[in-house]
Amino acid sequence: QVQLVESGGGLVQPGGFLRLSCAASGSIFSTNAMGWYRQAPGKQRELVAAISSGGSTNYADSVKGRFTISRDNAKSTVYLQMNSLKPEDTAVYYCNLGGVFSGSYYLGGRYWGQGTQVTVSS
């Protein structure tokens, strides 16, 4: 059974930064792509960033240049470094494992974390 546990969310001022982590249990981490999604109140869940098993990445236009996704296969953990945060980045952030990755998109897989709240406010 695969479990994903996010951490690192919180309250931050505009212009600030946070680093989210998603730790995976099970043995399938290193061979699978992963993604970070977010869902703001009243909005649909949207893809923020994704990373292939080999380290290729893609990003939503709204976060390009501000967010960086990375992975540490030895720790079965994926990270999302979020810089220059804006109020519109406020959402619950979810990690996802096992989706289909290409250079321009990521289709979410079956495994989801429980989510971590990110609030950007002064």
Side-chain angles (χ1 to χ4, degrees):
Q1 184 72 15
V2 174
Q3 288 188 320
L4 303 176
V5 180
E6 299 105 333
S7 60
L11 173 65
V12 63
Q13 292 187 342
F17 63 91
L18 286 172
R19 189 176 82 153
L20 305 183
S21 300
C22 173
S25 63
S27 60
I28 67 172
F29 178 87
S30 64
T31 59
N32 279 270
M34 294 198 71
W36 282 99
Y37 289 75
R38 67 186 180 188
Q39 187 166 21
K43 294 188 177 181
Q44 289 189 331
R45 190 173 296 190
E46 64 174 354
L47 178 67
V48 175
I51 186 166
S52 72
S53 59
S56 298
T57 59
N58 61 43
Y59 297 92
D61 288 342
S62 59
V63 306
K64 281 181 181 176
R66 300 188 297 123
F67 290 10
T68 302
I69 188 171
S70 61
R71 64 190 297 157
D72 184 337
N73 288 339
K75 296 182 178 179
S76 296
T77 300
V78 65
Y79 304 98
L80 186 68
Q81 179 68 42
M82 306 186 295
N83 298 330
S84 301
L85 282 162
K86 304 175 181 180
E88 52 263 44
D89 294 318
T90 295
V92 178
Y93 284 70
Y94 300 89
C95 65
N96 176 270
L97 172 68
V100 177
F101 178 93
S102 80
S104 59
Y105 69 85
Y106 172 80
L107 297 179
R110 62 181 292 189
Y111 300 108
W112 291 90
Q114 82 287 353
T116 185
Q117 176 71 47
V118 172
T119 302
V120 185
S121 175
S122 55

